Amino acid sequence: MPDTTSLVLLLLPIAVIELGLIIFSLYDLTRPERKVRGGNKVIWVIVILFFNLLGPLLYLTVGREES
């Protein structure tokens, strides 16, 4: 069974990537010129924040509309 230190070192990069994706997605979403599918940015904020790694990936792949 792995000790706590090795487990933290294993999960830390994943947590940093997830946090980076959330921050980038929320920043992109709040830009005034950004258009999103469905037209409701509040729904996308909820998806990004509550669906951890999947939410930002969904927003970045299918949620944005190119202007």
Side-chain angles (χ1 to χ4, degrees), residues 6-7 11-12 25-27 32-33 38 42-44 53-55 63:
S6 62
L7 187 60
L11 294 177
L12 188 61
S25 297
L26 290 175
Y27 169 75
E33 69 273 7
V42 174
I43 296 296
W44 281 108
L53 189 58
L54 186 61

Side-chain angles (χ1 to χ4, degrees), residues 14-33:
I14 296 169
V16 169
I17 290 170
E18 181 178 349
L19 185 61
L21 279 171
I22 290 170
I23 290 170
F24 177 76
S25 297
L26 290 175
Y27 169 75
D28 185 70
L29 183 63
T30 58
R31 293 184 6 220
E33 69 273 7

